[in-house]
């Protein structure tokens, strides 16, 4: 929300403070500041001039005119101008030589197109009044010649831009921000909605509400004889531009101006294009509407519509229909102001991916009492500026809505804040917000609210029952009725927050909470932290991706139709319609992040993420039960919630692309391969004290010949390897991209607990090398397992240091060279002992895998 300071000062008597001081005060009160922008302070030496004569210069590709302009000096100024939208006798802004325009643009006398140009005739954009303008700014007749344009048009202004969170929709208006400013500066507030519309003696254009859940107040006013060619006044165009709204036409500008001023969205219909009664209802199956952006939209049965005899004419609170829009020929106008369902407008806006200034306000909550006053304010402006006549009467369709009543102990805000606010302070702050506060009873012990079921006698079941539980001895019970412009105030906690923020968050005492007794991190938490540190030390960079996927991700991963990873939890209100599912695998987020990095020029990337995936059961209920908060759920209710929740195992995934070992002056680097992904899995498993068994496998999305299944004993914990070429192509990944995904939740039960320091032998190591020839299809892991088992307890470590294929080992074979290290804890091993252990290992490997010693 952009708030011009000059507009704000009209409705609040602010002291002589700067825009930054106002912004600081509003920020302290809870409104988030985005920026403060100054306009017009650098403009100098721009005056009003009258065009005396115009000579059109010939021989140029575009119109060039040489003008004589009277600026109140001894002689007229000669000025060359390319605009054609002004005539002799018009008053225009003139930047004299030595003038400075926005952005530090200086004006000087110069010769151009063969004539002297002693200044510049200015447009609105050149004066900083708008981002663009079709031509020169023509001032009203009678504007004094030689007057300072900056002072005349009020070009010097400061604009405070605020980020409006969903809970403070009232601040999406000058009225709302002015009320906040008046509160924080303790100044007088003038309500711009304090207008007195005449009593509606008769209805205006016929209208009704067919669905009370969609709209509870609908107001129409009619203006006839409107001049569609009447321009918006300069002051209105300047304010709209400063507030970030592009001026369009008088009818549109007036509705936007009132919306910005009061916070009430309005819509103007061409009365000649309406047929029959106007009705607010939900959409019917198969209905469509062409909106003002020339898009034909297929409507959903839950969409809230404004309709007439021809069908839908507007998406309520979001965007009007093209058929009934105001045109250059519209002379009779119907102004609509309403209070639509916040949730209904929000869902419709997201469903159609259509966000407007009106929908932003309605979904955050609009003052229900405003439609009568805002429509009258707009009708008066249209009549005054456009020459129209306001027709007597107004159509006012209304559904009665009970006001909200909240019971709160007077001491509750202080207990929430951890300080003391006396009763008078609490009442004063709530009244400043606009609440009506009445004192009811004094709590002297356990309290009830006068009903058997905890329902307040005033009709507010929740707040009174809650307040009774919050009260302590000596607290007054306050009956609070929030104002109509604060629909976000619904329970005692909301009221407590209002008191605390107005008293100042900076005044809250800083008290460290007492540390609860406990044993610190769990083993699972320790494992996750160790894994993160280990992968970071191995050269990986941690990311945090959104936990959402779409059906397209499953297709890109080449998952079969019956793959369990396609069974996903669907979000009721997704951030994006393209990603409405909770992730069942970490890979899509990792791969998209990899693509983004490669696209930014980082070709050598190693990423990892640790996070939850969501794996629902096929027989889980579609919707989890929603329980009340007035009591503890029963075991059966808790079980029903648990049954609806998906399994949420913790996983860690990595992706690699480019060079794993960089090239440089020392020589060529090494491109990532499937073995690097497997090694990443070993790094993770080592932190759990687990040795992985690596087996060849076929599992999407990995390459069928370069995929490894990772086992901890007999438990499958993950997969690693090179991605399938189709997956690489679908995501736009670098060639030979590798990945690994491993489930930490399955590793955690296998951890050995706190690490134990191993016994270190003081005796020397004895080494033996062995080279075995095996069939090319024989897994290396199987050979290593046989050697390890056959070598016996004296074997300290085993390492594969060479793999050879070629003529010396024969076609279809490969040579595996291992280094075996032997050590005894109590003696120095003899050559005979290590040789015997080596021979036993080779024999077992030969028995299990067909291995034979190379050269034998």
């Amino acid at each position: 929300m952009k708030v011009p300071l000059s507009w704000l000062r009209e409705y609040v008597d602010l002291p002589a403070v700067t825009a930054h001081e106002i912004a600081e005060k509003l920020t302290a009160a809870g409104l988030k500041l985005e920026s403060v922008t100054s306009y017009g302070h650098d403009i100098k030496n721009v005056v009003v001039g009258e065009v005396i004569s115009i000579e059109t210069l010939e021989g140029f590709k575009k119109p060039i005119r040489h003008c004589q302009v009277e600026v109140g000096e001894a002689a007229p100024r000669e000025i060359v101008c390319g605009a054609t939208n002004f005539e002799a006798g018009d008053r225009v802004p003139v930047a004299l030589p030595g003038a400075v325009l926005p952005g530090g643009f200086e004006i000087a006398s110069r010769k151009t197109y063969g004539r002297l140009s002693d200044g510049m005739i200015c447009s609105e954009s050149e004066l900083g009044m708008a981002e663009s303008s079709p031509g020169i700014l023509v001032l009203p007749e009678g504007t004094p010649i030689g007057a300072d344009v900056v002072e005349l048009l009020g070009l010097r202004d400061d604009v405070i831009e605020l980020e409006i969170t969903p809970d403070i929709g009232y601040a999406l208006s000058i009225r709302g921000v002015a009320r906040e400013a008046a509160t924080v500066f303790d100044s007088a507030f003038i309500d711009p909605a304090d207008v007195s519309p005449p009593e509606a003696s008769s209805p205006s254009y016929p209208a009704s509400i067919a669905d009370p859940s969609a709209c509870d107040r609908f107001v129409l006013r009619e203006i006839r004889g409107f001049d569609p060619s009447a321009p918006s006044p300069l002051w209105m165009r300047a304010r709209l531009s400063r507030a970030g709204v592009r001026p369009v036409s008088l009818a549109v500008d007036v509705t936007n101006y009132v919306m910005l001023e009061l916070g009430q969205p309005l819509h103007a219909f061409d009365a000649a294009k309406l047929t029959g009664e106007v009705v607010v209802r939900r959409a019917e199956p198969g209905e469509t509407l062409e909106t003002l952006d020339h898009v034909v939209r297929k409507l959903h049965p839950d969409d809230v519509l404004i309709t007439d005899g021809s069908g839908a004419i507007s998406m309520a609170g979001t965007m009007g229909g093209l058929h009934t829009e105001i045109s250059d020929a519209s002379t009779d106008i119907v102004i609509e102001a309403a209070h639509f369902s916040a949730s209904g407008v929000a869902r419709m806006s997201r469903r159609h991916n259509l966000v407007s200034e009106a929908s932003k306000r309605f979904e955050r909550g609009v003052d229900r009492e405003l439609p009568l006053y805002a429509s009258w304010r707009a009708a008066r402006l249209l009549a005054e500026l456009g020459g129209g006549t306001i027709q007597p009467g107004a159509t006012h369709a209304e559904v009665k809505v009970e006001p909200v009543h909240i019971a709160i102990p007077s001491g509750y805000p202080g207990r929430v804040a951890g300080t003391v606010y006396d009763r008078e302070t609490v009442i004063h702050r709530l009244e400043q917000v606009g609440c009506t506060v009445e004192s009811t009873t004094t709590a002297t012990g356990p309290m009830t609210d006068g009903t058997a079921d905890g329902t307040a006698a005033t009709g507010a079941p929740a707040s009174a029952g809650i307040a009774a539980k919050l009260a302590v001895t000596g607290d007054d019970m306050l009956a609070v009725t929030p104002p109509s412009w604060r629909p976000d105030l619904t329970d005692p906690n909301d009221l407590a927050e209002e008191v605390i923020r107005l008293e100042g968050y900076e005044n809250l005492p800083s008290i460290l909470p007492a540390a609860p007794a406990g044993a610190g991190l769990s083993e699972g938490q320790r494992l996750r932290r160790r894994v993160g540190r280990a992968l970071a030390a191995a050269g990986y960079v941690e990311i945090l991706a959104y936990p959402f996927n779409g059906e397209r991700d499953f297709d890109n991963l080449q998952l079969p139709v019956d793959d369990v990873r396609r069974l996903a939890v669907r979000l009721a209100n997704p951030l994006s319609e393209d990603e409405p599912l909770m992730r069942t695998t970490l890979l899509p987020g990792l791969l998209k992040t990899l693509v983004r990095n490669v696209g930014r020029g980082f070709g050598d990337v190693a990423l990892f993420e640790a996070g939850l995936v969501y794996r629902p059961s096929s027989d889980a209920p579609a919707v989890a039960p929603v329980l009340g908060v007035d009591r503890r759920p029963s075991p059966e209710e808790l079980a029903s919630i648990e049954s609806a929740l998906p399994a949420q195992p913790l996983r860690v995934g990595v992706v690699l692309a480019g060079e794993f070992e960089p090239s440089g002056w020392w020589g060529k680097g090494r491109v990532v391969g499937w073995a690097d992904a497997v090694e990443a899995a070993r790094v993770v498993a080592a932190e759990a004290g687990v040795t992985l068994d690596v087996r060849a496998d076929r599992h999407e999305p990995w390459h069928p010949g370069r995929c490894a299944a990772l086992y901890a004993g007999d438990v499958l914990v993950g997969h690693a390897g090179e991605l399938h070429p189709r997956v690489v192509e679908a995501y736009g990944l670098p060639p030979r991209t590798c990945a690994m995904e491993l489930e930490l939740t399955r590793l955690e039960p296998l951890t050995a607990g706190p690490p134990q320091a191993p016994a270190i032998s003081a005796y020397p190591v004895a080494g033996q090398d062995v080279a075995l020839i095996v069939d090319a299809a024989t897994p290396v892991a199987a050979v290593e397992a046989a050697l390890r088992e056959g070598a016996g307890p004296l074997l300290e470590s085993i390492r594969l240091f060479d793999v050879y294929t070629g003529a010396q080992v024969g076609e279809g074979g490969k040579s595996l060279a291992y280094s075996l290290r032997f050590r005894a804890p109590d003696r120095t091993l003899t050559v005979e002992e290590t040789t015997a252990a080596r021979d036993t290992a080779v024999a077992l490997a030969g028995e299990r895998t067909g291995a034979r010693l190379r050269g034998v």
Side-chain angles (χ1 to χ4, degrees):
M1 176 69 189
K2 294 183 177 180
V3 183
L5 196 54
S6 60
W7 201 351
L8 186 69
R9 287 186 181 276
E10 282 193 11
Y11 302 120
V12 58
D13 186 16
L14 292 172
V17 292
T18 65
H20 287 277
E21 290 173 313
I22 295 172
E24 287 176 5
K25 285 277 192 178
L26 292 175
T27 300
L31 275 68
K32 184 179 179 182
L33 174 68
E34 283 288 298
S35 64
V36 177
T37 308
S38 296
Y39 294 92
H41 293 279
D42 53 349
I43 302 178
K44 299 177 182 178
N45 207 19
V46 182
V47 300
V48 177
E50 180 178 351
V51 180
I52 299 174
S53 64
I54 301 175
E55 176 190 358
T56 302
L57 304 182
E58 304 295 339
F60 299 101
K61 293 182 179 179
K62 60 180 181 179
I64 300 297
R65 308 204 293 177
H66 183 249
C67 309
Q68 298 288 330
V69 184
E70 173 63 48
V71 293
E73 298 176 337
R77 297 269 182 173
E78 300 177 53
I79 299 177
V80 176
C81 184
T84 60
N85 68 310
F86 62 94
E87 302 173 351
D90 285 344
R91 304 283 170 95
V92 294
V94 178
L96 301 176
V100 178
L101 296 180
F105 183 64
E106 297 184 4
I107 304 300
S109 295
R110 63 192 181 98
K111 193 170 184 179
T112 181
Y113 296 101
R115 299 296 180 92
L116 176 67
S117 185
D118 200 19
M120 187 176 84
I121 304 174
C122 301
S123 67
E124 291 183 37
S125 60
E126 290 163 341
L127 293 173
M129 298 176 61
E131 292 186 3
S132 62
S133 51
I136 295 302
L137 171 60
V138 179
L139 300 171
E141 293 183 12
T143 304
I145 296 174
D148 184 354
V149 169
V150 173
E151 296 295 334
L152 182 71
L153 301 182
L155 297 184
R156 291 191 181 96
D157 205 352
D158 294 302
V159 175
I160 301 172
E161 184 173 1
L162 303 169
E163 180 183 334
I164 307 304
T165 52
D167 60 324
I168 54 172
Y170 65 91
L172 278 170
S173 65
I174 301 297
R175 181 195 189 207
V177 177
R179 183 179 282 109
E180 287 292 313
T183 299
V184 297
F185 283 100
D186 198 18
S187 301
F189 168 66
I190 302 170
D191 192 348
D194 188 14
V195 296
S196 300
E199 291 291 333
S201 56
S202 61
S204 180
Y205 198 93
S208 63
I209 299 172
D211 189 340
S213 69
C215 175
D216 56 39
R217 177 163 281 174
F218 192 75
V219 175
L220 296 180
R221 296 188 189 273
E222 193 171 358
I223 299 96
R224 294 181 182 172
F226 174 76
D227 180 7
S229 64
S232 301
L234 278 174
W235 61 266
M236 180 176 288
R237 299 207 304 271
R239 281 190 169 174
L240 289 174
S241 297
R242 293 281 191 266
V245 176
R246 180 177 62 88
V248 178
S249 64
L250 179 58
V252 175
D253 292 349
V254 164
T255 57
N256 284 335
Y257 185 84
V258 174
M259 177 185 69
L260 292 172
E261 184 178 64
L262 303 182
Q264 172 65 55
L266 303 169
H267 189 70
F269 296 102
D270 187 336
K273 299 175 181 176
L274 295 176
T275 57
E277 182 184 26
V278 173
V279 179
V280 183
R281 59 170 172 81
R282 303 279 181 174
E284 295 176 352
E287 272 193 296
T288 62
L289 173 65
E290 185 174 3
T291 47
L292 292 173
D293 56 358
H294 298 275
V295 176
V296 178
R297 302 184 184 277
K298 185 178 180 181
L299 302 174
H300 188 275
D302 286 337
D303 288 346
V304 182
L305 302 179
I306 301 174
T307 66
D308 67 357
S310 65
I313 58 175
S314 176
M315 296 173 68
T318 303
M319 184 173 284
L322 187 64
H323 173 67
T324 55
E325 75 167 330
I326 301 296
S327 67
D328 294 340
S330 301
T331 58
D332 297 339
I333 295 176
V334 173
I335 292 292
E336 167 261 309
H339 185 256
F340 298 114
S341 162
S343 59
V345 171
R347 291 193 183 100
M348 180 169 62
S349 173
R350 284 158 177 74
R351 188 180 298 119
H352 294 278
N353 195 24
L354 184 61
V355 179
S356 64
E357 291 295 325
S359 70
K360 289 179 186 177
R361 287 162 173 81
F362 275 119
E363 68 184 24
R364 286 167 169 80
V366 171
D367 185 351
R368 187 179 178 274
E369 302 300 324
L370 271 179
L372 280 170
Y373 304 98
S375 59
W376 176 247
R377 169 85 165 126
R380 286 181 56 188
L381 286 172
L382 288 171
E384 292 171 7
L385 302 175
T389 302
I390 303 175
Q391 296 304 295
T395 300
H396 182 199
E398 181 183 13
V399 177
K400 293 296 183 183
V401 176
E402 288 295 325
V404 175
H405 300 291
I406 306 172
I408 179 174
S410 61
Y412 183 63
R415 293 202 300 280
V416 171
T419 186
V420 177
Y421 299 131
D422 58 47
R423 178 179 179 277
E424 289 70 23
T425 297
V426 172
I427 293 176
H428 171 64
R429 290 304 188 185
L430 292 178
E431 289 177 342
Q432 276 189 315
V433 172
C435 297
T436 301
V437 184
E438 297 178 2
S439 182
T440 56
T441 59
T442 301
T444 57
M447 294 190 60
T448 63
D449 45 28
T451 60
D453 60 353
T455 318
T458 58
S463 63
I466 295 172
K469 297 175 183 178
L470 300 177
V472 297
T473 301
D475 276 354
D476 281 349
M477 293 299 295
L478 304 177
V480 181
T481 303
S484 58
W485 59 84
R486 293 299 304 271
D488 57 303
L489 303 181
T490 59
D491 63 51
N493 290 309
D494 297 329
L495 300 181
E497 182 181 4
E498 294 300 303
V499 174
I500 295 167
R501 75 177 181 89
L502 293 179
E503 280 297 299
Y505 293 117
E506 70 278 6
N507 296 323
L508 295 178
S510 180
I511 303 173
L512 290 175
L521 299 178
S522 66
E523 283 302 317
Q525 292 168 328
R526 293 177 190 275
L527 174 60
R528 178 169 179 174
R529 294 194 180 189
R530 290 199 306 271
V531 165
R533 287 194 292 265
L535 287 174
Y540 292 83
V541 177
E542 185 173 14
I543 69 161
L544 184 63
Y546 282 115
F548 311 123
N549 289 340
E551 293 287 350
R552 184 177 179 182
D553 287 306
F554 300 147
D555 296 335
N556 289 345
L557 292 176
Q558 309 296 311
L559 301 186
V561 176
D562 59 348
D563 195 297
V564 293
R565 287 170 289 179
R566 284 186 176 270
L567 180 61
V569 176
R570 182 172 294 273
L571 297 169
N573 189 21
L575 294 177
S576 169
E577 292 297 335
D578 294 332
E579 295 179 328
L581 308 174
M582 297 298 289
R583 67 186 178 192
T584 57
T585 169
L586 299 178
L587 292 181
L590 284 161
L591 298 180
K592 292 173 186 176
T593 305
L594 173 63
V595 170
R596 190 175 300 115
N597 279 271
V598 172
R600 300 298 190 274
F602 298 98
D604 305 325
V605 185
L607 307 174
F608 84 93
E609 180 181 15
L612 300 178
V613 297
Y614 305 87
R615 308 295 290 272
S617 171
S618 57
D619 58 352
V623 180
V626 179
L627 307 181
V629 297
D630 56 335
R631 59 178 176 79
R632 176 181 173 81
S634 67
E636 292 76 16
E637 291 172 329
L638 290 174
S640 66
I641 293 177
E642 289 290 340
S643 66
L645 293 177
Q648 301 176 47
L650 176 64
R651 290 191 169 190
V652 60
V654 306
V655 294
L656 308 96
E659 292 185 341
F660 194 77
E661 295 176 359
S663 56
W665 59 265
W666 52 84
K668 295 180 64 176
R670 183 176 63 80
V671 177
V672 299
W674 63 267
D676 294 306
V678 173
E679 182 59 27
R682 289 194 173 105
V683 169
V684 172
E687 296 301 319
V690 174
T691 300
L692 292 179
D693 182 7
V694 180
R695 308 175 191 174
D697 197 7
R698 297 173 64 93
H699 187 71
E700 293 78 7
W702 283 274
H703 191 295
R706 298 166 189 154
C707 173
L710 309 172
Y711 285 85
D714 295 330
V715 179
L716 177 65
V717 295
H719 288 83
E722 182 182 317
L723 293 176
H724 196 288
R726 291 178 183 171
V727 177
V728 171
E729 180 181 0
Y731 278 102
L733 301 168
R736 311 297 292 268
T737 296
C738 298
M740 179 277 291
E741 187 172 20
L742 185 148
E743 195 157 302
L744 285 178
T745 302
R746 295 183 181 179
L747 278 185
E748 186 179 343
L750 305 176
T751 57
Q756 301 295 323
I760 299 176
S761 174
Y763 294 91
V765 67
Q768 291 276 359
D769 291 344
V770 60
L772 303 177
I773 297 176
V774 296
D775 187 79
T778 303
V780 174
V783 178
E784 181 179 320
L787 289 173
R788 189 181 297 276
E789 182 179 343
L794 295 179
L795 181 68
E796 183 178 77
S797 66
I798 181 171
R799 181 174 67 89
L800 175 68
F801 66 86
D802 184 54
V803 178
Y804 171 76
T805 57
Q808 296 184 25
V809 297
E811 185 177 353
K814 62 182 176 182
S815 172
L816 306 177
Y818 289 92
S819 174
L820 287 72
R821 290 166 56 94
F822 297 92
R823 194 193 313 253
D826 56 351
R827 68 188 187 280
T828 299
L829 293 175
T830 64
V831 174
E832 291 77 11
E833 287 178 300
T834 57
T835 301
R838 182 201 64 184
D839 292 344
T840 304
V842 171
L844 185 59
E847 178 183 336
R848 291 187 177 179
T849 66
R852 68 182 189 278
L853 283 173
R854 183 174 175 181
V856 175

